[in-house]
Structures are given as C-alpha cells and as structure tokens.
Amino acid sequence: MSQSKRGRRTVARHGELKSPHPAGLLAKIVGIIAAVVFVAGAGVAAYTALDITTSVTANAVDLEGQDSVPPDIGAIEGGVNMLVVGTDECEEEYAYLFGDRCTGADAEGQLNDVNLLVHISDSPRRVTVISFPRDLMAAQPECTSEDGSVSSAVSYTQLNTAWSRGGLNCAVKTVSELSGMNIPFAAKVSFGNVINITDAIGGVDVCIGNGGIKDRYTAIDWPAGIRNVQGVEALQFLRTRHGLENGSDLARISNQQQYMSALARKLVSEEVLTNPSTLLQLATTTVENVTPSQSLTNPMTLVQIALAVKSVPFDDIVFVQYPVYDDPNDSNRVVPNYEAADALWAALEANQSLELTSDPNDTGGVIIDEPVTEETESPAEPTDEPTTDASGEPTPEPTETSAVLPDSIAGSTAAQETCSAGNVAG
C-alpha cells in the first residue's frame, strides 16, 4: 500500500447514524427501488404508481430459470435476491467521458461493469450487498438473448462480458451459478441513468480523504473534504480508480460502496422523505432510467420488498466484495476464492449476522471513519426497558450466533462512514 494508515488524512465527521426509514432503505441500495419511496413513503394511490410503472413494462426482461414470486399484501415472505447491473453503454450525452471505450473497436458493445447481488434475509431481516468484480474470470452458462439467439456455455471468461452474451438474463444466470442462489428480481441501470437518479434527489454527499483525488482518466481534480456530487461528477466519482490509492477495480468497488451508503443517508433524510415533490421526481426518474425484469414491474411487489426491510438498522446492512485471488494467467484479472465465498453463502443461508474481519483501510479504495458518539466514552447504564428501532417496534433479542467471515472478504456496514482513499498523483 502506498501510504501508511497513520499518514492518511481523513475528514473529521462524527455523529450517530440512525436506522433507515422504511420507505427509503431499499431505494438507497438499488436505484430501481426508488419507486418504493413514491408508493409506500409518500402514500400515493396504487393506481398512480401503476400508471408510472406501465411505461417500463414493455421493456421488461424475462429471467431464465429463476423462480417467480407472486405479489401479495404485506411484506414479502421469505428472503429476497435481486441483481442490479450497471452498464457502461456509450450514451450520446456522456460518451465523451469514456474516451477510447466509446470511440475504439468495442464502441458498440455494452459491458456489465457493476454487478450487485442484493440479498434480503428472512426474519430476522438483514440486507447484504455483494459486489462482483468486473474482471472476475469464471465460467458462464448458456444464455438466451432477448432476440432468441443462444450463446454457448464457456468455462473461463470475464464477468463483464455476460451482458454481450445475453443481456440482463445472462448476467443473472451467471451470478446465480456463482452464488448458488435463485435470483427472481433484476434491473439494469446505465451510468447515465445513475446521473439522472442522483440529480433527482439533489446529489449525494461523499467524503474525499488522503488529501484529495486526481484522476486524468475521469477528469477529477478534487480537494479533500465533503463534496456533493451530482450530474457528471456523480459518474466521475463512480468510475474513478486511478484517483484511488491502489488504482485497482477492487478499490473502485469499495469507493462505490461509499457512494451507496451516502445515498442511504440522503434518502432517509427529511430532505427527501418529507418532500412529496422530491419523492415524485425520484420515483418518476427511476422508472424512466431502468430496465427491470418482468418480476419488478408490479408496484405491489416493490411495496412488499420495502415492507420487508422497514426495520433493518444500518449495522445489519453489509456491503462486501466477492472474494478473489489474483488470476495466475493474467495479473490484471482475478479468479474466485471459492472457499471464502462458501463461508459467505453458508452464513446467508443460515441467516446469521455477518462479522467482518477485514480492514476496510486495506482495500486502497476507502478510509474508514468510525462515527463517535457520547456512548463511546460513557456507556449507558444497563436497563431492563426494551429497546426499540426507528419504527418504534421492540428490537428483538439476538437468538443466533454471528458468522465470522474470513479476512479475504472485504467490506463494511452502512453504519460505518468512509472517505475515498484518494491519490493526488493520479
């Protein structure tokens, strides 16, 4: 690592993070579910939500080999698995930001550069977001594209080629096989779509550490401090890796997870949740900027998912990276660490809380900035009174042990505030 932890410069930010609001939690994790805020949070009639979602039904994608979940009244039963894919398509308005990617030999293609598996457990509810590296080399199954063409199974190829092999359906099948999980819900969001969604809530506050970020590839030259990113800056922040401490794609994943946590705090703030105009704009913008699976076109399903996570505290929202080794065939690629991954899948299957042993500072993408509260120095006296969560419901007593994940699984919780591990020499 290029800089010692003692030499790092962070931005002082202290305060206690509150549990997320039921209407905003899922929306912050995946932009597609911002419509939940509109339906459940703003109290708008269901037929209005249905009218909005009708516009995306025609473009919705059928997922091959994944069990469907019928909508019902109340929280969705059982666990929920959803894949969110971010593509780097060369949208005319933003193509200039991609350089050779949009002018070179592969300018016409699309890559699934961001792959997020969102797992919502059954009771007790927890949320785990697993990021799969774009450079992961592994097997991919046979895939059928929307036009009916079939791509044969391959034993060794880069994860971000799944989109070109069969679109959203192929990305879902690939991650489903890697994880062993049924994934009934999915959505695609382009980088340009992310800009529009971020702008709908007035931008996201991120923290820049290590003295600043400089990245000539994404045209970033930002000083250290808290920065509200929106518009093109949101895209620049999500794409940067040369502006980070070790310049790797894994570091970029950690930095993107900082963005997701910051988006969480923004969406659960009164600035968004108490402003019907902002909620409506957010929901409408989201619907206009995603390609969902057929299973996500019913507004009642969105409400069900929101109700399922309404009481999940930030401590139980965990962002992790799929564990990998360096690829022995190519130093710029990675291959699965199946043993470590099996520990993660087993913990999720058993619905255990996840105990991270990795140090987020070691990713080269972020610097952890632990919030300091009064309780840190003066712990509260024990009490027999039951504690409550943000909704006023009693917090359940722990009834199961946590799963200690190997330190090869990098990650952090939404309760941890982080700053970008900037690289001013980028």
Side-chain angles (χ1 to χ4, degrees), residues 45-80:
Y47 74 85
T48 306
L50 180 59
D51 183 62
I52 292 177
T53 55
T54 297
S55 63
V56 297
T57 302
N59 296 321
V61 177
D62 279 323
L63 301 182
E64 186 180 359
Q66 307 299 320
D67 295 334
S68 61
V69 179
D72 197 358
I73 296 175
I76 199 167
E77 295 184 0
V80 175

Side-chain angles (χ1 to χ4, degrees), residues 36 85 175 193 213 298 316 424:
V36 170
V85 172
V175 173
N193 298 149
I213 285 181
N298 189 319
D316 282 330
V424 293

Side-chain angles (χ1 to χ4, degrees), residues 386-397:
T387 57
T388 60
D389 58 27
S391 66
E393 294 295 323
T395 303
E397 293 295 327

Side-chain angles (χ1 to χ4, degrees), residues 5 319-321 355-363 368 370 404-412 416:
K5 294 176 188 176
F319 300 97
V320 296
Q321 294 182 22
E355 184 177 331
L356 299 171
T357 61
S358 62
D359 185 349
N361 293 294
D362 292 339
T363 64
I368 202 69
E370 295 284 2
V404 179
L405 297 181
D407 61 9
S408 54
I409 299 181
S412 61
Q416 295 173 301

Side-chain angles (χ1 to χ4, degrees), residues 54 59-60 70 98 168 266 295 330:
T54 297
N59 296 321
F98 288 83
L168 184 61
K266 182 63 177 284
S295 54
D330 187 341

Side-chain angles (χ1 to χ4, degrees), residues 2 7 108 134 340 372 423 426:
S2 61
E108 296 302 318
R134 66 186 293 276
V372 177
N423 174 17

